[in-house]
Amino acid sequence: MQNAILEHHKDQLIFWNDFPELAALCWNRHTPQMTEETALRLYETNWAFVNRNTMPPHEKEFVTRIAKKFGSYLQGPHRAS
């Protein structure tokens, strides 16, 4: 059972450097990975500092997807665009 939990957790890990705006928020992080939920919390906490005008399409899609997955106020194209 513990392996199943680890596998589920492992599926949610992302490399934050793949997302330029998230990477800017991770200036003080020493590990290259985080869970999707941790990434969402960083976006939510720092949304005022996220430049949505220069955010690449794949990052906008990522924000929308994880916002829907975890029920965030950031869900919907009006927030990530």
Side-chain angles (χ1 to χ4, degrees):
M1 181 65 162
Q2 193 172 30
N3 287 338
I5 293 169
L6 290 174
E7 286 300 314
H8 177 70
H9 179 74
K10 183 176 158 183
D11 288 342
Q12 295 181 36
L13 288 177
I14 58 119
F15 287 94
W16 50 260
N17 210 28
D18 291 342
F19 306 99
E21 289 299 315
L22 182 59
L25 301 176
C26 292
W27 62 270
N28 63 345
R29 300 226 170 220
H30 301 289
T31 58
Q33 296 177 321
M34 66 177 57
T35 64
E36 290 178 333
E37 188 171 13
T38 299
L40 177 61
R41 300 305 168 226
L42 275 171
Y43 281 120
E44 289 174 331
T45 304
N46 298 286
W47 195 244
F49 305 107
V50 173
N51 188 341
R52 293 171 299 283
N53 294 325
T54 61
M55 183 185 282
H58 77 279
E59 188 168 9
K60 289 179 182 180
E61 291 167 8
F62 174 68
V63 171
T64 299
R65 183 177 62 76
I66 62 174
K68 287 179 183 177
K69 180 177 181 178
F70 295 105
S72 171
Y73 72 91
L74 296 178
Q75 59 187 313
H78 61 283
R79 288 292 186 174
S81 61

